[in-house]
Amino acid sequence: MQNLNFIEGRWTPSATGQTLPVIDPATEQAFAEIPRGTAEDIDAAVTAAEKALNAGWRNTTGAQRAKLLRAIAQGIEAEAEALAQLDVRDCGKPIIEARYDAGDAALCFNYYADLAEALDARQGEAIAIGDDRFEVKLRYEPAGVAGLIVPWNFPLVNAAWKVAPALAAGCSVVIKPSELASLSTLSLARIAETAGLPAGVLNVVTGLGSEAGARLAGHPGIAKVSFTGGVDSGRRVMQARAELVGDVALELGGKSAMIVFADVDLDHAVEWILMGSLYNQGQVCAATSRVLVQESVYEALLTKLHAAVVGLRVGAGVDDTTQVGPLISAAQRDRVASMVRQGIEQGARVLCGGDVSASHGTGFYYPPTVLLDVSRENLLWTEEIFGPVLSVTRFSTEAQAIELANDSRFGLAAAVLCNDQAQRERVASSLVAGIVWANCSGPAFIQAPWGGVKQSGFRRGLGEWGMHEFLELKQITTYISDQAWGHFTAAS
Ligand code: NAD
């Protein structure tokens, strides 16, 4: 199957006609192709987006945009199963998780439809300035053309979380999905086309980060870049934006910690440890992959965790019973294997997993792996692994747990499991992270802000903050007094 870019409402090959293969991580077979988009394709998409913006999209009301967003949500709902199957094939995730993603994407469009509508009532809001000669009113205006760059780990959701708020704000969009999982973003464009979104408002260019991605980040016609991906790519995107003095929001990686206090139910704790570290094969930016367990329950928890991890059903994502699927690519599997090997050389001990040769024959599988005795210098402690790998460390006091949890250059998320409410709240407020989960790990809600601190990036996606990322705030100040101003004209 050959796919095409979506530019100005037309399905078109890349300017060079070159393509990239799409590989099913469970079978290692190529089953489709996507365009290898070039700078020229990005330029055409940005021109189309500018044209659509100025032809009227910029001046639509929130209510008009809400109607279209709801139609897109309906389209996603109608095709939810097919979209889920597509993401499974494209990136290997278990179907049960892909179905959840499709539901989340539809919810996201409906949610931002509501916010777009509510925005109309806020246009012209007056603010108190303490001077009755003036009236100051606010206008929320679309930032312009939004350049969206997203990763492969939640393909449909990554796209929805940015496209929906950008359209709600009245921006037109050029999105470059990951070269490793672009198919559901192309489907989203087809759904938007069917829903009646005007040509050029949403454009999709597939291709490599160093080619199409780099041009999008550095394009002077882009008012706002919203990037989700790794720290190294984020740094390059920020450098490109700095040249233009252009706005950018970065949602980057993490190395999040989960603190387990001795007073919790250990079976519940194991459940949340698995959710926090092995969901989507651990390919989650906010994975709580550093698990800190209070001394007195450490051994008992390890016994339960070991039993749970070795009992996980590893297999192809298409299988309804699969809990852990293959990783996205051979390169990612090899990277995870190499990091675990180096971590073991640096002194870590394997509780279970850790041996890639013990995995399935075909498919980019890596066994769920638990490591112990991971020192603070060990790369398994400092680096994001982005695979089904977690480390467990013991602590004795609350202060020690907080210190260990915050010992990271990242600050995306953190979790605390603790039944003592006062202690739980104290710890939650001491954790340096954009997201703190208490007595759970992993849930993400469209209505709540998403993003991190330190090298996990800055600004917030989702919630009302996600839409405001794509809005410019203008003040209109009117002199309403009958009196002459008099500064230069008053008699002395
Ligand atoms: P990546 O940085 O390799 O790629 C992300 C996207 O950026 C892709 O579309 C890629 O083509 C593009 N890209 C790469 N180099 C670029 C450049 N120089 N200029 C412009 N675009 C470029 O990341 P990945 O491997 O796709 O995803 C994994 C990373 O994403 C992990 O570090 C993970 O933590 C992070 N992530 C973060 C969040 C979050 O919300 N904070 C969510 C998901 C993933």
Side-chain angles (χ1 to χ4, degrees):
M1 179 181 52
Q2 165 138 28
N3 293 284
L4 297 167
N5 283 328
F6 187 62
I7 300 173
E8 204 169 13
R10 284 188 293 273
W11 294 93
T12 148
S14 81
T16 59
Q18 287 190 331
T19 60
L20 298 167
V22 181
I23 294 167
D24 181 337
T27 64
E28 305 188 15
Q29 299 299 312
F31 66 96
E33 290 180 338
I34 51 168
R36 179 172 169 170
T38 61
E40 211 178 310
D41 298 313
I42 291 289
D43 290 354
V46 175
T47 302
E50 278 169 340
K51 217 166 109 186
L53 191 70
N54 296 327
W57 182 250
R58 180 195 289 283
N59 298 320
T60 49
T61 62
Q64 287 167 329
R65 298 193 294 275
K67 219 169 144 189
L68 288 162
L69 289 169
R70 290 197 184 103
I72 296 173
Q74 266 174 22
I76 295 172
E77 278 160 6
E79 290 190 30
E81 183 59 22
L83 287 165
Q85 296 283 354
L86 198 60
D87 266 359
V88 169
R89 220 162 163 214
D90 213 0
C91 73
K93 62 174 60 209
I95 183 70
I96 185 168
E97 297 181 13
R99 288 190 182 121
Y100 181 83
D101 287 359
D104 187 67
L107 195 68
C108 184
F109 277 90
N110 276 326
Y111 171 72
Y112 281 107
D114 292 348
L115 288 202
E117 223 162 39
L119 194 61
D120 286 342
R122 296 192 60 187
Q123 297 292 10
E125 233 170 35
I127 53 167
I129 42 147
D131 185 337
D132 59 12
R133 294 168 304 168
F134 293 94
E135 182 184 73
V136 177
K137 290 189 170 177
L138 301 180
R139 269 193 61 75
Y140 297 90
E141 298 182 346
V145 179
L148 314 179
I149 304 174
V150 292
W152 45 262
N153 56 343
F154 293 89
L156 182 60
V157 165
N158 291 148
W161 281 15
K162 289 193 193 299
V163 171
L167 295 183
C171 287
S172 56
V173 165
V174 178
I175 181 168
K176 196 209 79 66
S178 166
E179 55 273 36
L180 298 175
S182 293
L183 299 182
S184 54
T185 304
L186 293 169
S187 295
L188 181 63
R190 186 179 37 72
I191 289 168
E193 183 186 22
T194 309
L197 197 72
V201 170
L202 171 62
N203 304 275
V204 183
V205 177
T206 62
L208 301 175
S210 56
E211 298 174 357
R215 178 58 182 160
L216 186 55
H219 198 297
I222 297 292
K224 165 88 192 190
V225 167
S226 181
F227 173 85
T228 299
V231 174
D232 290 343
S233 316
R235 187 177 290 117
R236 280 193 284 274
V237 167
M238 202 171 160
Q239 281 163 351
R241 297 303 290 163
E243 284 303 314
L244 299 163
V245 197
D247 199 7
V248 62
L250 300 178
E251 294 172 36
L252 307 178
K255 190 72 196 180
S256 304
M258 172 191 274
I259 303 174
V260 183
F261 281 96
D263 67 348
V264 298
D265 179 299
L266 293 188
D267 292 314
H268 286 179
V270 167
E271 172 81 42
W272 287 116
I273 290 171
L274 300 186
M275 272 302 289
S277 58
L278 298 181
Y279 193 83
N280 201 29
Q281 297 67 246
Q283 302 167 128
V284 178
C285 50
T288 42
S289 57
R290 290 184 298 137
V291 179
L292 314 175
V293 181
Q294 199 156 24
E295 187 90 62
S296 58
V297 295
Y298 178 78
E299 293 298 339
L301 186 126
L302 280 191
T303 306
K304 285 177 182 287
L305 182 62
H306 179 270
V309 172
V310 297
L312 288 171
R313 292 185 296 276
V314 179
V318 287
D319 185 338
D320 267 325
T321 63
T322 289
Q323 293 172 306
V324 180
L327 305 196
I328 180 74
S329 64
Q332 184 70 8
R333 191 237 356 243
D334 295 347
R335 184 177 159 274
V336 170
S338 157
M339 289 180 86
V340 171
R341 256 195 321 271
Q342 288 177 62
I344 292 168
E345 280 162 22
Q346 290 173 15
R349 196 158 54 84
V350 177
L351 178 70
C352 54
D355 179 9
V356 69
S357 64
S359 303
H360 291 61
T362 304
F364 306 132
Y365 293 94
Y366 190 82
T369 296
V370 182
L371 294 143
L372 311 175
D373 301 340
V374 173
S375 70
R376 290 178 186 222
E377 293 72 39
N378 195 308
L379 91 165
L380 297 170
W381 179 268
T382 57
E383 303 305 316
E384 182 179 46
I385 299 174
F386 230 58
V389 177
L390 64 141
S391 65
V392 188
T393 306
R394 63 183 100 196
F395 70 89
S396 49
T397 65
E398 178 184 316
Q400 197 189 8
I402 293 167
E403 203 269 319
L404 280 167
N406 288 339
D407 176 31
S408 173
R409 69 179 195 282
F410 298 107
L412 184 52
V416 50
L417 308 189
C418 178
N419 279 335
D420 175 339
Q421 188 184 349
Q423 182 173 44
R424 191 172 67 233
E425 289 176 2
R426 205 165 52 232
V427 171
S429 64
S430 306
L431 290 168
V432 182
I435 302 151
V436 174
W437 288 298
N439 286 351
C440 61
S441 184
F445 298 99
I446 301 292
Q447 300 82 353
W450 183 267
V453 299
K454 300 201 267 184
Q455 287 193 14
S456 292
F458 43 80
R459 313 282 269 274
R460 294 292 179 268
L462 295 184
E464 61 181 282
W465 306 272
M467 185 174 71
H468 283 274
E469 279 294 301
F470 296 101
L471 288 167
E472 288 296 350
L473 185 55
K474 179 187 275 181
Q475 58 152 299
I476 299 179
T477 296
T478 310
Y479 185 61
I480 54 173
S481 165
D482 294 335
Q483 303 295 311
W485 184 242
H487 182 77
F488 285 107
T489 53
S492 53

